[in-house]
Amino acid sequence: MDTVQQHCLLASDKLGQSRYRQAIFQTVKAGDLVLDLGTGTGIHALFSCQAGAGRGFLKRAAPVIPAQMGQTLHVLSAYSGRL
């Protein structure tokens, strides 16, 4: 399985992502600084901003984000001042 397939599989796991989102909302407080290490799609950074993180940093292993992740990037752009 290549990297794109892995990210698509993880991002489409509704139960798993729901649990990550719940954990992030229980942990991240308003104004927190968040590091999404090995970010992939950026979905967990998005959850952190929605939970109130004041600033987030995303670090990817691969230099290019695949085109399939365009929808996530569009949503993340709403938080561009904080990510």
Side-chain angles (χ1 to χ4, degrees), residues 2-80:
D2 69 15
T3 303
V4 174
Q5 290 172 321
Q6 289 173 331
H7 286 300
C8 289
L9 180 64
L10 291 171
S12 66
D13 176 5
K14 291 183 181 184
L15 178 60
Q17 292 305 326
S18 174
R19 288 180 176 165
Y20 273 115
R21 187 176 191 276
Q22 182 180 19
I24 288 168
F25 270 74
Q26 290 173 349
T27 305
V28 174
K29 305 296 182 232
D32 278 358
L33 175 65
V34 175
L35 171 62
D36 186 354
L37 189 59
T39 191
T41 64
I43 190 76
H44 300 141
L46 171 63
F47 293 161
S48 296
C49 281
Q50 291 173 339
R55 184 80 185 200
F57 293 92
L58 291 80
K59 177 62 180 156
R60 289 187 44 78
V64 178
I65 297 174
Q68 293 89 337
M69 304 307 166
Q71 183 177 2
T72 302
L73 291 175
H74 177 71
V75 174
L76 285 173
S77 69
Y79 296 96
S80 64

